[in-house]
Amino acid sequence: MLNSNEIRSAFIDFFKQKNHLFIPSWPVVPIGDETLLFTNAGMNQFKEYFLGHRVPSFKRAVNSQKCIRVSGKHNDLEEVGIDTYHHTFFEMLGNWSFDDYFKAESIEWAWQLLTGVYGINPSRLWATVFAGDKDDNAAPDSEAADLWTKLTPLPKERVLFCGRKDNFWEMGNTGPCGPCSEIHIDLGPDRCDMKHLPDHRCAVNGGCSRFMELWNLVFIQFNRKPDGMLERLNANYVDTGAGLERICAVLQNQRSNYDTDLFLPAIRAVEEIAAQKYTSQLGNKTDNAFRVIADHIRTLTFAIADGVNPSNEGRGYVMRRLLRRACRFGRSLQLHEPFMYKLVDVVVGYMGRAFPEIHERREFVASVIQAEEASFGRTLDRGLEIFANAAKDAKNKTIAGEDAFQLYDTYGFPLDLTQLLAREQGLSVDADEFENLMQQQRQRARAAQKSTSLAANLTGVELPQTDDSLKYTAETCKAKLLGWIHEDGYSTTGELTDTENTVALILNKTCFYAESGGQVGDCGTIKTDDAVFAVETTEKIAECVLHRGKLQSGSLWVGDQVQASVNANRLASRKNHTATHILQWALQSVLGKSVKQQGSLVCPDYLRFDFTWPKALAKEQVQVIETLVQERIEEALPVMTAVLGIEEAKQLGAMALFGEKYGDVVRVLAIGAANKDQLQEAFSKELCGGTHVSNTAEIGGFAIQKEESVSAGVRRITALTGPGLMRHLLVRGRIVDELVETLKAPADQLAARVAKLLEDNKALKKELKSGGGKSASDAFGAAEKLLESASKAGGAFVVVGQLPPVDVEQARTAIDSVKKKAGSAAIVFGIADGEDKVMLLAGVTDDLIQKGVKAGDIVREIAPVVGGGGGGRPNMAQAGGKDPAKLEEALAKAKAMILAALEK
């Protein structure tokens, strides 16, 4: 029996023998594609070829693509764990032809691989082809049907014509599309899950689980025009996809994908951690939990390795949702401590050979997951308590959207987790109310994903190649205007007079640098004798450079000779970009080679560098890193670039940024080498297409401004160089001068003087907190008076009232004093501090806690009255608010709550 690695390799090797080039999998984060949240199909990385934006250097390709489907129309999340075949992460095996072979070879080779290499019984296989569509005036794909019976032993009765829904593939509403031919396998009558229906008949695409699709062969031969009509393409493409998980289940003779070696190692590890057994049963909540965890750990491992860290926005929020969902299922297995991070090495153990990136980053991935688990674990149990209360209060079997929002906002419960918990109790959630409360967050998410590219509607348009080699050597150049992109498309004729809307000019050559690799695109001007166009930024689609901006004056015509000039700010960007390379070297020198770049921003004003590291840097580490960079700047070392083959560059030890798209020929930036012969001696070697200084001395200085956390396992350094650093130092110098004047101390004694002031201030605060001040005695006196006048209920004192302004420690001490004197009491104190600040404190003796009176519940209930929130333990809790005018109302509500509870 073949294992998953052998099955994957057999597929790739088969097509390599058919002269296909093996293309490594794209990251799960699509490179340069704003339209996708995650890579969700094998064809994603070839999209530019299908759209005509780029011509491939190869005719045939094969790969196994990492895919994630957890959003949009491709969202399998709710089905994961419930059935045998839905997953959030999967591998898509595929082969492609770019105007080379077409239907005959695709069909014949697919048959050879399935029956000859994999040994599947031919009598179990069926094929479907496109039946045509009258609305599209598209004929049946009789060609494919005839090829199935001509090139394979498949009889006509097992070649079925099916409709557009199943057998016509489209990239989107417009663009490349075509008929497809699916290969299905008959798993046997015992696999039918619809036998209980009297009129059911097992059939391909008949809705039951007896027949399963194995492989889809897509024949891209049409273009869908904006008017909905189909037109024949000038070229034919083949795009096939076969899910590795399904093929493994068939070849390993398993009824469930989760029983294959792609999931079982993780399931076995969870069995050991949880001391429970997995029985492979559907409908069993314990087994569902095993399956969900095994699925989600694969997604998390690959996504985090590819640079997606859990966060509150975009892709990061999806990962946070998945991890928290898995943690909640872990609770159903009695796993209350972080455990998911322990599964990372398990996944790496059986998938790391095919995808070495997860092996290289396994420690980082595990540290990110562990930190995120620990963070959520601190609020999960309390959140489950809140959910239980919300479920009890559900009206019409619907949990209020406000409760769902509180679970999200306070306890980090994604909506789908609350909905999952609700479904398990036969309840629903008022999602509309939740969405209204989440409007601001949703707007941010939409803004993060919204495409700002003018090229969004350029399907089928072949853009010209721009010669941008001058971006490294010139700040100005003459060029020819070829056209412009606007919201309606691409114009290659006519006059541009619009001064209101943003457009993108396309030139035959340019000295502008297009945004890439973290460096912002250049800005500047494009002029003729009677027109000025202000370039606000520069972008790139395939090999075409777009100069985005607005016409300032005059008009431009296609064919005009123009003068393109880059803003002088580019020099500052160069300084910052070279400094990021030195910074990465310094980080690895101090922290070790495990430090990996996670992203960067290089602009004229400052540089920002994100890197993997599990905790905050010590002050001493920051100083050493800063010193190392400054030393390299002062050494005035040469900076050079060399154009090399990708393999030669890697052999030299040049670092590549994971997730970046590199060609066969790359540009290597070497710092510390004067010529190509000295490349090996350079202390920093990286693949980089950005602009840089020619000598480190040009950077002019380096200072770290901030070191902070971006997300679990990722830190960020913000730093200044050149003019930005000089401006910063001038401002700091003025501040020092002011402090010298104010504190009457020389500059070199300022630190000691401020330290002494802080020490004195701390001592005064400590004296006040100890109760030595008048305010403390006032608080105790007021508390005693409230006790003397307190009412009683159920044998206990109900002490509710307002105290004079004191700090929280003095108020807590007053509560403890009342508890001691009263013996049995429920106490709520309110303190108004100015016009916009309120403090509420509650204390309950242990005997009343057993009767259901809890300080935390009281505070949570009354805090919203004064416009605040808070909580705490059953015996002591506090909250803050901002509406002192309603303090009396809040205290009255507290007293009523306590009396109602004690008089039951």
PDB file of all heavy atoms in Angstrom, residues 39-61:
ATOM      1  N   THR A  39      -4.591  30.961  -1.059  1.00  0.00           N
ATOM      2  CA  THR A  39      -4.481  30.128  -2.245  1.00  0.00           C
ATOM      3  C   THR A  39      -5.475  28.979  -2.099  1.00  0.00           C
ATOM      4  O   THR A  39      -5.406  28.218  -1.144  1.00  0.00           O
ATOM      5  CB  THR A  39      -3.056  29.564  -2.389  1.00  0.00           C
ATOM      6  OG1 THR A  39      -2.132  30.654  -2.454  1.00  0.00           O
ATOM      7  CG2 THR A  39      -2.927  28.695  -3.617  1.00  0.00           C
ATOM      8  N   ASN A  40      -6.429  28.871  -3.036  1.00  0.00           N
ATOM      9  CA  ASN A  40      -7.480  27.861  -2.883  1.00  0.00           C
ATOM     10  C   ASN A  40      -7.575  26.895  -4.048  1.00  0.00           C
ATOM     11  O   ASN A  40      -8.494  26.076  -4.111  1.00  0.00           O
ATOM     12  CB  ASN A  40      -8.842  28.537  -2.649  1.00  0.00           C
ATOM     13  CG  ASN A  40      -9.245  29.452  -3.790  1.00  0.00           C
ATOM     14  OD1 ASN A  40      -8.749  29.325  -4.908  1.00  0.00           O
ATOM     15  ND2 ASN A  40     -10.127  30.390  -3.511  1.00  0.00           N
ATOM     16  N   ALA A  41      -6.642  26.990  -5.008  1.00  0.00           N
ATOM     17  CA  ALA A  41      -6.653  26.067  -6.141  1.00  0.00           C
ATOM     18  C   ALA A  41      -5.263  26.021  -6.749  1.00  0.00           C
ATOM     19  O   ALA A  41      -4.477  26.965  -6.613  1.00  0.00           O
ATOM     20  CB  ALA A  41      -7.681  26.505  -7.191  1.00  0.00           C
ATOM     21  N   GLY A  42      -4.984  24.937  -7.439  1.00  0.00           N
ATOM     22  CA  GLY A  42      -3.667  24.782  -8.044  1.00  0.00           C
ATOM     23  C   GLY A  42      -3.366  25.813  -9.105  1.00  0.00           C
ATOM     24  O   GLY A  42      -2.212  26.154  -9.350  1.00  0.00           O
ATOM     25  N   MET A  43      -4.427  26.332  -9.756  1.00  0.00           N
ATOM     26  CA  MET A  43      -4.197  27.259 -10.854  1.00  0.00           C
ATOM     27  C   MET A  43      -3.880  28.677 -10.410  1.00  0.00           C
ATOM     28  O   MET A  43      -3.526  29.520 -11.229  1.00  0.00           O
ATOM     29  CB  MET A  43      -5.410  27.279 -11.798  1.00  0.00           C
ATOM     30  CG  MET A  43      -6.749  27.649 -11.172  1.00  0.00           C
ATOM     31  SD  MET A  43      -7.015  29.389 -10.751  1.00  0.00           S
ATOM     32  CE  MET A  43      -6.753  30.147 -12.342  1.00  0.00           C
ATOM     33  N   ASN A  44      -4.002  28.986  -9.111  1.00  0.00           N
ATOM     34  CA  ASN A  44      -3.832  30.368  -8.660  1.00  0.00           C
ATOM     35  C   ASN A  44      -2.512  30.980  -9.112  1.00  0.00           C
ATOM     36  O   ASN A  44      -2.471  32.135  -9.547  1.00  0.00           O
ATOM     37  CB  ASN A  44      -3.938  30.454  -7.140  1.00  0.00           C
ATOM     38  CG  ASN A  44      -5.342  30.233  -6.606  1.00  0.00           C
ATOM     39  OD1 ASN A  44      -5.529  29.925  -5.442  1.00  0.00           O
ATOM     40  ND2 ASN A  44      -6.344  30.373  -7.464  1.00  0.00           N
ATOM     41  N   GLN A  45      -1.424  30.203  -9.005  1.00  0.00           N
ATOM     42  CA  GLN A  45      -0.130  30.795  -9.338  1.00  0.00           C
ATOM     43  C   GLN A  45       0.082  30.936 -10.840  1.00  0.00           C
ATOM     44  O   GLN A  45       1.011  31.609 -11.285  1.00  0.00           O
ATOM     45  CB  GLN A  45       1.015  30.004  -8.701  1.00  0.00           C
ATOM     46  CG  GLN A  45       1.264  28.623  -9.264  1.00  0.00           C
ATOM     47  CD  GLN A  45       2.578  28.053  -8.738  1.00  0.00           C
ATOM     48  OE1 GLN A  45       3.635  28.662  -8.865  1.00  0.00           O
ATOM     49  NE2 GLN A  45       2.502  26.884  -8.121  1.00  0.00           N
ATOM     50  N   PHE A  46      -0.826  30.324 -11.641  1.00  0.00           N
ATOM     51  CA  PHE A  46      -0.724  30.431 -13.098  1.00  0.00           C
ATOM     52  C   PHE A  46      -1.760  31.399 -13.672  1.00  0.00           C
ATOM     53  O   PHE A  46      -1.930  31.496 -14.888  1.00  0.00           O
ATOM     54  CB  PHE A  46      -0.896  29.056 -13.738  1.00  0.00           C
ATOM     55  CG  PHE A  46       0.072  28.023 -13.237  1.00  0.00           C
ATOM     56  CD1 PHE A  46      -0.375  26.905 -12.561  1.00  0.00           C
ATOM     57  CD2 PHE A  46       1.435  28.181 -13.425  1.00  0.00           C
ATOM     58  CE1 PHE A  46       0.515  25.953 -12.086  1.00  0.00           C
ATOM     59  CE2 PHE A  46       2.339  27.238 -12.962  1.00  0.00           C
ATOM     60  CZ  PHE A  46       1.878  26.119 -12.282  1.00  0.00           C
ATOM     61  N   LYS A  47      -2.435  32.114 -12.788  1.00  0.00           N
ATOM     62  CA  LYS A  47      -3.542  32.987 -13.202  1.00  0.00           C
ATOM     63  C   LYS A  47      -3.117  34.023 -14.235  1.00  0.00           C
ATOM     64  O   LYS A  47      -3.835  34.300 -15.199  1.00  0.00           O
ATOM     65  CB  LYS A  47      -4.108  33.671 -11.956  1.00  0.00           C
ATOM     66  CG  LYS A  47      -5.370  34.466 -12.162  1.00  0.00           C
ATOM     67  CD  LYS A  47      -5.859  34.970 -10.802  1.00  0.00           C
ATOM     68  CE  LYS A  47      -7.047  35.885 -10.930  1.00  0.00           C
ATOM     69  NZ  LYS A  47      -7.497  36.373  -9.604  1.00  0.00           N
ATOM     70  N   GLU A  48      -1.932  34.606 -14.051  1.00  0.00           N
ATOM     71  CA  GLU A  48      -1.475  35.641 -14.984  1.00  0.00           C
ATOM     72  C   GLU A  48      -1.299  35.083 -16.391  1.00  0.00           C
ATOM     73  O   GLU A  48      -1.488  35.808 -17.371  1.00  0.00           O
ATOM     74  CB  GLU A  48      -0.162  36.243 -14.497  1.00  0.00           C
ATOM     75  CG  GLU A  48      -0.317  37.165 -13.286  1.00  0.00           C
ATOM     76  CD  GLU A  48       0.988  37.818 -12.908  1.00  0.00           C
ATOM     77  OE1 GLU A  48       2.061  37.268 -13.262  1.00  0.00           O
ATOM     78  OE2 GLU A  48       0.956  38.875 -12.262  1.00  0.00           O
ATOM     79  N   TYR A  49      -0.938  33.802 -16.486  1.00  0.00           N
ATOM     80  CA  TYR A  49      -0.781  33.190 -17.806  1.00  0.00           C
ATOM     81  C   TYR A  49      -2.143  33.023 -18.485  1.00  0.00           C
ATOM     82  O   TYR A  49      -2.302  33.303 -19.673  1.00  0.00           O
ATOM     83  CB  TYR A  49      -0.100  31.824 -17.689  1.00  0.00           C
ATOM     84  CG  TYR A  49       1.246  31.854 -17.007  1.00  0.00           C
ATOM     85  CD1 TYR A  49       1.672  30.795 -16.203  1.00  0.00           C
ATOM     86  CD2 TYR A  49       2.114  32.938 -17.152  1.00  0.00           C
ATOM     87  CE1 TYR A  49       2.908  30.821 -15.570  1.00  0.00           C
ATOM     88  CE2 TYR A  49       3.341  32.969 -16.522  1.00  0.00           C
ATOM     89  CZ  TYR A  49       3.735  31.903 -15.738  1.00  0.00           C
ATOM     90  OH  TYR A  49       4.955  31.930 -15.111  1.00  0.00           O
ATOM     91  N   PHE A  50      -3.129  32.559 -17.713  1.00  0.00           N
ATOM     92  CA  PHE A  50      -4.464  32.369 -18.280  1.00  0.00           C
ATOM     93  C   PHE A  50      -5.094  33.700 -18.684  1.00  0.00           C
ATOM     94  O   PHE A  50      -5.850  33.774 -19.649  1.00  0.00           O
ATOM     95  CB  PHE A  50      -5.381  31.664 -17.277  1.00  0.00           C
ATOM     96  CG  PHE A  50      -4.984  30.245 -16.984  1.00  0.00           C
ATOM     97  CD1 PHE A  50      -4.913  29.778 -15.680  1.00  0.00           C
ATOM     98  CD2 PHE A  50      -4.678  29.360 -18.000  1.00  0.00           C
ATOM     99  CE1 PHE A  50      -4.548  28.478 -15.398  1.00  0.00           C
ATOM    100  CE2 PHE A  50      -4.308  28.056 -17.741  1.00  0.00           C
ATOM    101  CZ  PHE A  50      -4.251  27.608 -16.431  1.00  0.00           C
ATOM    102  N   LEU A  51      -4.809  34.773 -17.917  1.00  0.00           N
ATOM    103  CA  LEU A  51      -5.384  36.086 -18.203  1.00  0.00           C
ATOM    104  C   LEU A  51      -4.653  36.815 -19.327  1.00  0.00           C
ATOM    105  O   LEU A  51      -5.106  37.855 -19.789  1.00  0.00           O
ATOM    106  CB  LEU A  51      -5.361  36.956 -16.938  1.00  0.00           C
ATOM    107  CG  LEU A  51      -6.296  36.524 -15.808  1.00  0.00           C
ATOM    108  CD1 LEU A  51      -6.053  37.367 -14.558  1.00  0.00           C
ATOM    109  CD2 LEU A  51      -7.752  36.642 -16.239  1.00  0.00           C
ATOM    110  N   GLY A  52      -3.524  36.269 -19.746  1.00  0.00           N
ATOM    111  CA  GLY A  52      -2.783  36.896 -20.832  1.00  0.00           C
ATOM    112  C   GLY A  52      -1.869  38.015 -20.395  1.00  0.00           C
ATOM    113  O   GLY A  52      -1.333  38.742 -21.231  1.00  0.00           O
ATOM    114  N   HIS A  53      -1.674  38.177 -19.068  1.00  0.00           N
ATOM    115  CA  HIS A  53      -0.793  39.237 -18.574  1.00  0.00           C
ATOM    116  C   HIS A  53       0.679  38.853 -18.682  1.00  0.00           C
ATOM    117  O   HIS A  53       1.544  39.725 -18.639  1.00  0.00           O
ATOM    118  CB  HIS A  53      -1.106  39.554 -17.109  1.00  0.00           C
ATOM    119  CG  HIS A  53      -2.456  40.173 -16.920  1.00  0.00           C
ATOM    120  ND1 HIS A  53      -3.045  40.309 -15.687  1.00  0.00           N
ATOM    121  CD2 HIS A  53      -3.331  40.692 -17.816  1.00  0.00           C
ATOM    122  CE1 HIS A  53      -4.231  40.887 -15.830  1.00  0.00           C
ATOM    123  NE2 HIS A  53      -4.413  41.120 -17.104  1.00  0.00           N
ATOM    124  N   ARG A  54       0.945  37.574 -18.794  1.00  0.00           N
ATOM    125  CA  ARG A  54       2.336  37.108 -18.823  1.00  0.00           C
ATOM    126  C   ARG A  54       2.416  35.831 -19.648  1.00  0.00           C
ATOM    127  O   ARG A  54       1.494  35.009 -19.639  1.00  0.00           O
ATOM    128  CB  ARG A  54       2.807  36.870 -17.384  1.00  0.00           C
ATOM    129  CG  ARG A  54       4.230  36.453 -17.254  1.00  0.00           C
ATOM    130  CD  ARG A  54       4.608  36.330 -15.780  1.00  0.00           C
ATOM    131  NE  ARG A  54       5.356  37.489 -15.332  1.00  0.00           N
ATOM    132  CZ  ARG A  54       5.678  37.702 -14.074  1.00  0.00           C
ATOM    133  NH1 ARG A  54       5.284  36.881 -13.147  1.00  0.00           N
ATOM    134  NH2 ARG A  54       6.381  38.757 -13.746  1.00  0.00           N
ATOM    135  N   VAL A  55       3.533  35.666 -20.353  1.00  0.00           N
ATOM    136  CA  VAL A  55       3.745  34.463 -21.163  1.00  0.00           C
ATOM    137  C   VAL A  55       4.683  33.528 -20.407  1.00  0.00           C
ATOM    138  O   VAL A  55       5.785  33.930 -20.022  1.00  0.00           O
ATOM    139  CB  VAL A  55       4.347  34.822 -22.535  1.00  0.00           C
ATOM    140  CG1 VAL A  55       4.614  33.548 -23.339  1.00  0.00           C
ATOM    141  CG2 VAL A  55       3.418  35.754 -23.303  1.00  0.00           C
ATOM    142  N   PRO A  56       4.272  32.274 -20.164  1.00  0.00           N
ATOM    143  CA  PRO A  56       5.143  31.362 -19.396  1.00  0.00           C
ATOM    144  C   PRO A  56       6.373  30.968 -20.196  1.00  0.00           C
ATOM    145  O   PRO A  56       6.346  30.919 -21.429  1.00  0.00           O
ATOM    146  CB  PRO A  56       4.233  30.153 -19.138  1.00  0.00           C
ATOM    147  CG  PRO A  56       3.235  30.180 -20.244  1.00  0.00           C
ATOM    148  CD  PRO A  56       3.006  31.626 -20.555  1.00  0.00           C
ATOM    149  N   SER A  57       7.450  30.679 -19.468  1.00  0.00           N
ATOM    150  CA  SER A  57       8.684  30.234 -20.129  1.00  0.00           C
ATOM    151  C   SER A  57       8.675  28.730 -20.351  1.00  0.00           C
ATOM    152  O   SER A  57       9.647  28.170 -20.840  1.00  0.00           O
ATOM    153  CB  SER A  57       9.890  30.630 -19.269  1.00  0.00           C
ATOM    154  OG  SER A  57       9.796  30.020 -17.983  1.00  0.00           O
ATOM    155  N   PHE A  58       7.572  28.064 -19.958  1.00  0.00           N
ATOM    156  CA  PHE A  58       7.450  26.615 -20.113  1.00  0.00           C
ATOM    157  C   PHE A  58       6.064  26.323 -20.680  1.00  0.00           C
ATOM    158  O   PHE A  58       5.139  27.123 -20.576  1.00  0.00           O
ATOM    159  CB  PHE A  58       7.626  25.911 -18.764  1.00  0.00           C
ATOM    160  CG  PHE A  58       6.847  26.556 -17.650  1.00  0.00           C
ATOM    161  CD1 PHE A  58       5.513  26.244 -17.414  1.00  0.00           C
ATOM    162  CD2 PHE A  58       7.447  27.519 -16.837  1.00  0.00           C
ATOM    163  CE1 PHE A  58       4.796  26.854 -16.405  1.00  0.00           C
ATOM    164  CE2 PHE A  58       6.721  28.145 -15.818  1.00  0.00           C
ATOM    165  CZ  PHE A  58       5.399  27.816 -15.607  1.00  0.00           C
ATOM    166  N   LYS A  59       5.933  25.164 -21.283  1.00  0.00           N
ATOM    167  CA  LYS A  59       4.658  24.772 -21.892  1.00  0.00           C
ATOM    168  C   LYS A  59       3.878  23.796 -21.029  1.00  0.00           C
ATOM    169  O   LYS A  59       2.649  23.691 -21.147  1.00  0.00           O
ATOM    170  CB  LYS A  59       4.913  24.129 -23.265  1.00  0.00           C
ATOM    171  CG  LYS A  59       5.340  25.119 -24.341  1.00  0.00           C
ATOM    172  CD  LYS A  59       4.173  26.024 -24.749  1.00  0.00           C
ATOM    173  CE  LYS A  59       4.498  26.863 -25.957  1.00  0.00           C
ATOM    174  NZ  LYS A  59       3.345  27.698 -26.377  1.00  0.00           N
ATOM    175  N   ARG A  60       4.579  23.044 -20.186  1.00  0.00           N
ATOM    176  CA  ARG A  60       3.935  22.020 -19.359  1.00  0.00           C
ATOM    177  C   ARG A  60       4.417  22.151 -17.914  1.00  0.00           C
ATOM    178  O   ARG A  60       5.593  22.424 -17.670  1.00  0.00           O
ATOM    179  CB  ARG A  60       4.265  20.615 -19.874  1.00  0.00           C
ATOM    180  CG  ARG A  60       3.881  20.367 -21.320  1.00  0.00           C
ATOM    181  CD  ARG A  60       4.289  18.970 -21.779  1.00  0.00           C
ATOM    182  NE  ARG A  60       3.920  18.738 -23.169  1.00  0.00           N
ATOM    183  CZ  ARG A  60       4.031  17.563 -23.793  1.00  0.00           C
ATOM    184  NH1 ARG A  60       4.526  16.511 -23.122  1.00  0.00           N
ATOM    185  NH2 ARG A  60       3.661  17.438 -25.050  1.00  0.00           N
ATOM    186  N   ALA A  61       3.509  21.933 -16.984  1.00  0.00           N
ATOM    187  CA  ALA A  61       3.875  22.063 -15.570  1.00  0.00           C
ATOM    188  C   ALA A  61       3.121  21.033 -14.742  1.00  0.00           C
ATOM    189  O   ALA A  61       2.028  20.572 -15.113  1.00  0.00           O
ATOM    190  CB  ALA A  61       3.554  23.469 -15.068  1.00  0.00           C
TER     191      ALA A  61
END
